[in-house]
Amino acid sequence: MLKEINEPHRTLCGERIPFENIHAVSVSLPQLSDVIGYEEKRTETLSRLKSGYPRFVAHSYIARILDYNRDTKKINTPQFIISSKKAANWIVQKFSIQNFEIIEDEGITTLVIPDLKDLEKEILSFIQHTGCLASSRMAEDFLLKKGILQEIFREKVEKENPVDKILSTLSSFYGDLNPEILLSASGMNGVYSAFESLSLIQQKKGKTIWVRLGWLYVDNIRILEKYTESSYVIHNATDLEELEIFLKQNSEQVAGIITECPTNPLLLVPDYEKLKSIVDHYKIPLIVDISVAGSAIINILPYVDVIVESLTKFACGNGDLMMGAVILNKNSNWFSEILPLCKEWIEKPYFRDCERLAYEIKDYEKRVFKISENVKKLAEFFSKQPGIRKVFWTGAIDSFQNFQKVTRLPNIHSGVLSIELSTSLEKFYDRLTLLKGPSFGTEFTLNMLYVYLAHYDLVIQDEGRKFLKENGLDPNLIRISVGTEDPELLIEEYKKALEV
């Protein structure tokens, strides 16, 4: 991708990432002012967006279906394009909606509700956090059938048994453990399905407290904030002492623990051997989101009950589809109960997304091993730069030992690292000529102002910034999803951005 550095669209706000791909899940935000404009929903920024992460920004094809519905079905109240009728019914039940309509047309499900702004906002949040949205390829097929599009986007796919090939590739990373793997419409749909399934099991036993271990990805945080009766937060994922103290007093009420390996964006990793001994002692299920590393890099299945991975990330490598996997440990005490519930809650991915991923996942292992080598070189470079206060990666002193206990091979690393700047954030970010936008796991390097994009509400308040810093999240933190490019070329670009 570095060959494109001099192409003008690299520095244009709102361009798709990857470029010219209608199914792109990232968007170029090349200046700090673009990031702020995006977060503050300024018209001059939003009007330029050709794409965005689909759970946060409606895909242009989804927008066209909404327009089609208004014109042909005369819908003039809020409407939502949902992944399935089943998901639409969930939403109706969850929010006790009266006077709704569910419309099914050429594979597309539309939920229509009364014109109630608060309800509309709640449903949009629910779809965002739980990932039950229609895929861009599903929308594309609808528009083709209606004659609104003349052809579909041309891309390389695997048409022969795509689901089997995805499952086979993922299973191969776990060897004799032979987990049960369920594919979901998105990574967050996988997280929510596992969480909801275990919640239902544990509620019958009077267990309703969920423990969040670590500062996690924003939507993992939101699920626990919004959809639990009670939750307990341990901000440092490595602080198993605090976890033990809490469980000694409250284990009878704890429904489960959710964490990430490594955490996003600080790349922290607890001691999973010790964590397993704790959860086994108190008989508490453990869900771990491994998206920041991926199944080709780590195998934590022996230590956990449920793994969730966003296949949108490293398994895909191109940032052009939404999908997730729920990986169930057959040796878990909860396996027989959680499996049927997960199957019930999960939203299956669209068949064309499976065809695309089956093609992309062939290079999953090769891609992440190359990225791992690049991460090591970049981490070494960043650690010597006076403009960088701290480097967060799985080779850092507070993560390395614990991470290496769960890697599939010695001395391989997550493809993500974060840097905390001591120099001007705006100057560095605006100067950097590499791609800048949300998401990670791509074969091209992608830089993100993580704290601004995930926690802008805290960034703009003094108290919020103080709270973030107390938990190791400086607003000057940049998360870097490292790609497969020549690392020396990447280093040259970062050098230029760091020049005083």
Side-chain angles (χ1 to χ4, degrees):
M1 294 290 283
L2 276 175
K3 65 181 183 294
E4 298 173 340
I5 264 182
N6 295 319
E7 294 182 12
H9 54 219
R10 177 176 287 273
T11 54
L12 288 179
C13 173
E15 287 293 328
R16 296 184 187 98
I17 300 177
F19 304 124
E20 312 307 332
N21 187 332
I22 192 64
H23 301 297
V25 303
S26 189
V27 62
S28 179
L29 298 171
Q31 305 283 302
L32 177 60
S33 58
D34 299 325
V35 175
I36 292 170
Y38 173 84
E39 282 300 317
E40 295 184 351
K41 297 180 169 50
R42 295 177 186 170
T43 304
E44 64 267 29
T45 304
L46 298 187
S47 63
R48 296 160 72 189
L49 301 186
K50 291 184 180 178
S51 66
Y53 201 74
R55 287 187 300 100
F56 297 89
V57 178
H59 191 276
S60 59
Y61 284 170
I62 298 293
R64 289 174 80 171
I65 295 175
L66 295 172
D67 288 340
Y68 173 85
N69 285 346
R70 289 186 197 100
D71 293 342
T72 63
K73 299 180 174 73
K74 307 305 176 189
I75 296 171
N76 55 15
T77 59
Q79 54 171 320
F80 310 89
I81 309 301
I82 312 291
S83 49
S84 71
K85 185 177 182 180
K86 179 183 76 173
N89 279 319
W90 281 359
I91 293 169
V92 167
Q93 291 169 22
K94 185 161 192 69
F95 296 100
S96 304
I97 304 171
Q98 305 296 315
N99 304 317
F100 65 90
E101 186 180 5
I102 297 174
I103 302 167
E104 293 185 281
D105 183 6
E106 297 285 9
I108 287 291
T109 302
T110 305
L111 171 62
V112 185
I113 65 164
D115 193 5
L116 300 168
K117 289 297 175 193
D118 287 347
L119 178 60
E120 181 183 7
K121 192 175 176 183
E122 280 295 311
I123 292 172
L124 283 170
S125 290
F126 182 80
I127 293 168
Q128 175 190 318
H129 303 323
T130 63
C132 57
L133 69 166
S135 114
S136 59
R137 289 176 182 81
M138 183 189 290
E140 184 177 46
D141 284 347
F142 174 89
L143 294 172
L144 187 71
K145 288 170 187 172
K146 296 296 183 183
I148 298 167
L149 291 179
Q150 301 310 307
E151 61 178 355
I152 63 169
F153 179 74
R154 299 296 169 192
E155 58 188 356
K156 292 180 178 177
V157 297
E158 177 58 66
K159 286 194 170 286
E160 191 174 331
N161 303 319
V163 172
D164 290 346
K165 285 178 177 169
I166 295 167
L167 294 175
S168 173
T169 300
L170 293 174
S171 295
S172 70
F173 300 135
Y174 293 94
D176 295 340
L177 293 170
N178 189 30
E180 184 82 28
I181 302 177
L182 307 174
L183 298 182
S184 57
S186 65
M188 284 314 304
N189 182 250
V191 172
Y192 184 73
S193 300
F195 157 77
E196 192 66 51
S197 299
L198 279 169
S199 290
L200 287 171
I201 293 166
Q202 297 290 63
Q203 278 168 11
K204 294 173 186 173
K205 303 169 187 174
K207 296 173 182 280
T208 57
I209 299 173
W210 275 85
V211 176
R212 188 183 104 207
L213 182 59
W215 189 287
L216 310 183
Y217 172 62
V218 62
D219 279 310
N220 284 337
I221 292 174
R222 296 292 178 262
I223 282 177
L224 296 193
E225 285 179 348
K226 291 189 174 187
Y227 309 126
T228 59
E229 286 185 28
S230 178
S231 64
Y232 181 77
V233 179
I234 299 170
H235 288 299
N236 183 349
T238 64
D239 193 349
L240 300 186
E241 189 176 330
E242 183 182 347
L243 177 65
E244 281 198 275
I245 291 168
F246 178 76
L247 293 180
K248 273 180 187 175
Q249 298 172 343
N250 302 280
S251 63
E252 290 301 313
Q253 288 82 47
V254 173
I257 298 169
I258 186 165
T259 189
E260 296 168 349
C261 184
T263 61
N264 183 5
L266 296 179
L267 288 299
L268 294 175
V269 184
D271 181 338
Y272 272 90
E273 290 177 359
K274 185 176 180 185
L275 180 55
K276 179 171 172 54
S277 71
I278 294 169
V279 296
D280 282 355
H281 177 74
Y282 291 104
K283 297 180 172 59
I284 294 169
L286 176 62
I287 299 174
V288 182
D289 183 339
I290 64 163
S291 302
V292 174
S295 294
I297 292 287
I298 60 172
N299 178 4
I300 58 166
L301 196 64
Y303 307 104
V304 309
D305 300 286
V306 183
I307 290 171
V308 181
E309 179 178 359
S310 172
L311 303 178
T312 301
K313 309 304 191 300
F314 291 104
C316 164
N318 289 288
D320 64 358
L321 59 80
M322 296 288 282
M323 203 180 302
V326 178
I327 302 165
L328 300 173
N329 185 344
K330 289 180 180 175
N331 295 319
S332 165
N333 292 329
W334 285 269
F335 176 72
S336 60
E337 286 183 277
I338 194 175
L339 177 60
L341 287 170
C342 247
K343 284 182 174 179
E344 190 179 318
W345 279 103
I346 217 160
E347 287 293 288
K348 292 181 180 178
Y350 190 54
F351 79 96
R352 277 188 55 215
D353 292 310
C354 293
E355 290 177 347
R356 177 62 173 158
L357 182 61
Y359 173 80
E360 293 170 316
I361 204 170
K362 294 174 190 175
D363 295 326
Y364 184 6
E365 187 174 63
K366 178 183 174 185
R367 185 164 52 239
V368 294
F369 285 177
K370 168 62 177 164
I371 288 170
S372 171
E373 290 304 307
N374 283 357
V375 164
K376 285 186 253 186
K377 290 173 182 173
L378 279 173
E380 183 183 5
F381 163 74
F382 286 134
S383 67
K384 296 173 181 174
Q385 302 310 304
I388 294 174
R389 188 179 293 117
K390 190 168 183 182
V391 183
F392 302 88
W393 69 299
T394 51
I397 193 165
D398 42 6
S399 295
F400 178 74
Q401 192 173 1
N402 289 337
F403 191 69
Q404 289 303 308
K405 287 180 183 177
V406 295
T407 54
R408 291 180 54 239
L409 293 171
N411 205 26
I412 53 175
H413 291 279
S414 161
V416 174
L417 58 78
S418 296
I419 55 173
E420 185 183 307
L421 297 173
S422 56
T423 187
S424 164
L425 174 68
E426 184 170 14
K427 188 183 285 186
F428 173 86
Y429 187 78
D430 290 359
R431 274 183 179 177
L432 186 63
T433 52
L434 297 171
L435 290 169
K436 290 168 274 188
S439 198
F440 63 90
T442 49
E443 62 183 12
F444 45 86
T445 297
L446 190 54
N447 300 267
M448 175 180 170
L449 285 183
Y450 183 87
V451 184
Y452 274 74
L453 284 167
H455 303 289
Y456 189 69
D457 56 330
L458 297 176
V459 170
I460 57 176
Q461 303 170 30
D462 289 341
E463 279 300 308
R465 292 173 80 93
K466 182 184 174 188
F467 175 68
L468 287 166
K469 286 185 178 182
E470 284 171 355
N471 290 289
L473 280 164
D474 193 293
N476 281 3
L477 181 137
I478 294 176
R479 188 186 71 189
I480 303 171
S481 176
V482 179
T484 59
E485 304 98 334
D486 180 340
E488 296 308 316
L489 292 176
L490 291 173
I491 286 168
E492 280 305 307
E493 296 306 319
Y494 286 114
K495 269 184 185 173
K496 290 175 195 172
L498 284 164
E499 283 174 2
V500 178

